[in-house]
Amino acid sequence: MDELVLVTGGTGFIAQHCIIALINAGYRVRTTVRSLSREAEVRANLKAGGVELGERLSFIAADLNSDDGWAEAAAGCAYAFHGASPTPSGSYASEEEWIKPAVDGNLRVLRASRDSGVKRVVLTSAFGAIGAGHKPLARPFVETDWTDLTGNVAPYQKSKTLAERASWDFIANEGRGLELASVNPTMVLGPALGPDYSHSIRTIREMLEGQPGYPKIKTCVVDVRDVADLHLRAMTDPAANGERFLATSGEGLWLAEIAKLLKERMGMAASRVSTRVLPNILVRSMALANPAMKGLLPLLGAKLDASGEKAERLLGWTPRSREEAIVASAESLLRLGLVKT
């Protein structure tokens, strides 16, 4: 259990929870950051997550857009978790700025892992590589589904789809025995560790701060601690090699249903939470003036359910309930003083 595991993008929400899970399981971790100036911040977040790091965590500088540092990052590692990628909270001027670092970054990590003798890479992909661009389905999405890039697909979803496709192609054509598994989470909630948290938890914060209403959008949710647990299971279980795993807990919820749950469970802390559903026509008109909302339009009214049955059956994964993930997000935001009063 003293093996060394590479976790890319150590400033990321999922990555930090993966580091906590690995340290608690007895592994040593090396994590990449674009700038070593953020090491203290990452260590503080991990400490807030309750893990005693000691000398079991080390840092190395590496950027998705450059070859520099990746060979050194992978050297001596038995496994690698790769999740570093442009996120929906980023601001990018063109589609290329989303796609190029996602695809090139995946290939850099896979190439370095192969060349250094890493046994298996666990790729943090996304539901966005599975459930976008489709006409309405009468069933939940499963791992054999891929986002239809001929449909109406936002740049983030396109980047995750092309990056994951490129990863599987690399394994098939250039992997030379390197193993790969992917974890495709739905909306990732759970405890924030500091002020730099996921774009999904931002939704919970905005609800607590009194956002006046929500588009008619449905999403499945999963707790970040369970996403990390699934990464560990996919890292070592022989059944995970060559497989994709949707990380999701239960059926999807409309955003207004998430807001209603917060009001029911969080007492006075949720006094400003609205449960209003914004009419689709209003959302479409708002998107004309707000380009950031355009990506929501294909999701209006879509029943984006997904199934986590495969991970539960093959890997024995047992995720927390949707309610626990939602409440944990809200409680952590309040505990850290991240909700504006």
Side-chain angles (χ1 to χ4, degrees):
M1 298 293 285
D2 197 44
E3 291 172 309
L4 179 62
V5 181
L6 171 65
V7 178
T8 69
T11 58
F13 178 57
I14 294 175
Q16 289 178 9
H17 277 277
C18 284
I19 293 170
I20 290 170
L22 286 163
I23 296 289
N24 285 337
Y27 292 94
R28 293 179 296 120
V29 177
R30 179 185 295 146
T31 190
T32 65
V33 288
R34 280 184 291 177
S35 170
L36 292 176
S37 65
R38 297 193 68 181
E39 177 177 344
E41 170 198 332
V42 173
R43 287 187 179 275
N45 287 356
L46 298 174
K47 185 176 181 181
V51 68
E52 293 296 329
L53 297 170
E55 300 298 318
R56 302 188 69 80
L57 176 66
S58 58
F59 289 75
I60 190 167
D63 190 296
L64 297 176
N65 292 302
S66 170
D67 289 334
D68 296 344
W70 290 109
E72 294 82 359
C77 292
Y79 303 99
F81 291 178
H82 175 51
S85 188
T87 68
S89 55
S91 178
Y92 305 97
S94 69
E95 210 172 64
E96 182 71 3
E97 288 181 83
W98 288 89
I99 294 169
K100 185 173 172 51
V103 174
D104 291 353
N106 280 20
L107 295 178
R108 284 189 169 97
V109 171
L110 289 169
R111 198 173 294 117
S113 297
R114 177 200 65 193
D115 294 347
S116 67
V118 167
K119 300 173 191 176
R120 182 180 297 173
V121 174
V122 182
L123 174 67
T124 311
S125 187
F127 177 71
I130 287 177
H134 295 275
K135 294 179 180 178
L137 293 184
R139 58 166 177 81
F141 284 97
V142 293
E143 288 84 355
T144 52
D145 294 314
W146 280 90
T147 283
D148 183 355
L149 295 179
T150 66
N152 193 347
V153 179
Y156 167 72
Q157 298 162 333
K158 189 170 184 178
S159 74
K160 296 302 284 190
T161 305
L162 292 172
E164 190 186 340
R165 287 279 197 191
S167 300
W168 289 113
D169 288 345
F170 177 90
I171 291 297
N173 299 317
E174 304 175 52
R176 301 204 297 267
L178 176 65
E179 297 179 352
L180 179 66
S182 76
V183 174
N184 297 65
T186 54
M187 183 182 188
V188 182
L189 299 177
L193 301 175
D196 188 1
Y197 44 81
S198 76
H199 58 279
S200 297
I201 290 184
R202 185 176 300 174
T203 301
I204 303 299
R205 189 204 75 204
E206 290 170 348
M207 288 181 174
L208 293 171
E209 290 177 345
Q211 183 175 329
Y214 319 101
K216 190 177 181 182
I217 290 177
K218 192 176 191 183
T219 180
C220 289
V221 304
V222 63
D223 192 291
V224 67
R225 294 165 291 184
D226 297 318
V227 175
D229 175 61
L230 183 51
H231 276 71
L232 262 68
R233 291 170 185 268
M235 180 176 82
T236 57
D237 195 314
N241 181 31
E243 300 290 344
R244 310 171 85 200
F245 295 98
L246 266 164
T248 184
S249 176
E251 295 180 1
L253 292 166
W254 298 102
L255 292 181
E257 290 179 312
I258 294 175
K260 183 180 178 183
L261 176 71
L262 287 174
K263 289 192 78 70
E264 291 171 351
R265 298 286 292 273
M266 296 301 297
M268 285 302 297
S271 61
R272 290 183 290 168
V273 174
S274 167
T275 57
R276 180 190 176 206
V277 179
L278 300 177
N280 288 352
I281 190 170
L282 175 60
V283 176
R284 291 191 176 96
S285 65
M286 291 167 67
L288 295 175
N290 184 356
M293 292 190 68
K294 288 183 179 178
L296 301 179
L297 299 184
L299 305 177
L300 292 176
K303 297 180 179 180
L304 298 178
D305 286 307
S307 171
E309 184 274 336
K310 181 179 176 181
E312 296 175 25
R313 172 173 46 84
L314 282 186
L315 304 182
W317 184 62
T318 52
R320 292 165 176 80
S321 69
R322 305 170 301 175
E323 293 78 10
E324 187 173 349
I326 292 164
V327 170
S329 298
E331 289 177 340
S332 68
L333 289 169
L334 294 164
R335 183 173 63 251
L336 294 168
L338 298 174
V339 177
K340 295 177 184 176
T341 57

